[in-house]
Amino acid sequence: FQKSMEHFGGKVDFVLHSIGMSVNVRKNKAYTDLNYEWMQKTFDVSAISFHKTMQTIWKLDAINDWGSILGLSYIAAQRVFPDYSEMAESKALLESFARSFGYHLGTAKNVRVNTISQSPTMTTAGQGVKGFKEFFDYADKMSPLGNAPAEACADYCVVLFSDLTRYVTMQNLFHDGGFSTMGMNPALIQ
C-alpha cells in the first residue's frame, strides 16, 4: 500500500480481495482425509490474507474515510458443498474477518467492509473442484435469474465501492441470481 499511496499521491478509496486456493482440492484429497499443512495454506491464502490486508491498511492509514473493502466469498460458507472441501471453512473465516474488521474500520474511519457471495463462476480455480461443471449447470437452473456472470459481479463491486452504498457494511451480499434463497425450482424436475 505504501507504493500505491506514493504512486497515486494519497490513500486508496477501495480494495478488492479476490484470491482463493486449496491445495487439498487441487490434489483431489477427500474432506475426510485432508492434509492439515495444506489446509493451513488454504486458510492463509484464502482468508487470513484478507485480515493481513486490512491490518496493513489499518496500520498505514492507507484508505480514505468512507472507503470500501470487499472480499469475494461463496455460499459454501453457510451451506454444505462436499467437494468444496476446506474452502468452505476458509470462506466462513473470510466473512467473519469482514464483520470483525468492519466494526473497527467503520468506527474509526467510516470504512465499509463487505463480502460478496458470487454464483459459481467458470474460473481456473472453480474448474478445479470435482463436479464443478455439473454444479454450475444445477445452480444455473435453480436460480430464477441464472448464474450471475463474472462481468456482472465486477459491476456489483463497482456499486459497492461507490458512495451509493456508503451505509452498507459488515454484510455478506449474495450475487447469485437468487440461488441462495431458492428451496426448489420446478425447472430441475421437468
Side-chain angles (χ1 to χ4, degrees), residues 21-24 27 29 33-45 48 86:
M21 183 277 305
S22 167
V23 178
N24 281 302
K27 302 270 187 185
K29 291 290 280 182
D33 187 34
L34 294 179
N35 177 306
Y36 291 119
E37 287 180 28
W38 295 350
M39 178 187 276
Q40 183 59 46
K41 178 62 77 179
T42 298
F43 293 162
D44 191 41
V45 170
I48 296 170
E86 84 275 16

Side-chain angles (χ1 to χ4, degrees), residues 57-134:
I57 288 167
W58 177 272
K59 288 182 176 182
L60 293 177
D61 189 25
I63 194 165
N64 284 310
D65 288 5
W66 295 101
S68 179
I69 300 172
L70 293 175
L72 295 186
S73 191
Y74 188 58
I75 194 172
Q78 293 89 24
R79 303 217 182 130
V80 176
F81 291 85
D83 294 324
Y84 201 56
S85 197
E86 84 275 16
M87 280 299 296
E89 288 84 0
S90 186
K91 294 301 185 180
L93 183 59
L94 178 98
E95 291 176 16
S96 181
F97 287 150
R99 290 186 297 272
S100 297
F101 237 121
Y103 164 79
H104 293 287
L105 285 163
T107 56
K109 299 185 58 60
N110 296 316
V111 170
R112 301 159 281 150
V113 182
N114 294 292
T115 56
I116 297 173
S117 186
Q118 167 66 5
S119 292
T121 307
M122 287 292 186
T123 63
T124 302
Q127 291 175 28
V129 176
K130 179 182 168 194
F132 181 80
K133 172 70 170 102
E134 293 79 9

Side-chain angles (χ1 to χ4, degrees), residues 163-182:
D163 290 341
L164 298 173
T165 57
R166 83 186 88 204
Y167 290 97
V168 178
T169 193
M170 299 164 58
Q171 301 296 311
N172 179 55
L173 303 158
F174 289 98
H175 186 258
D176 63 2
F179 178 84
S180 55
T181 306
M182 291 298 293

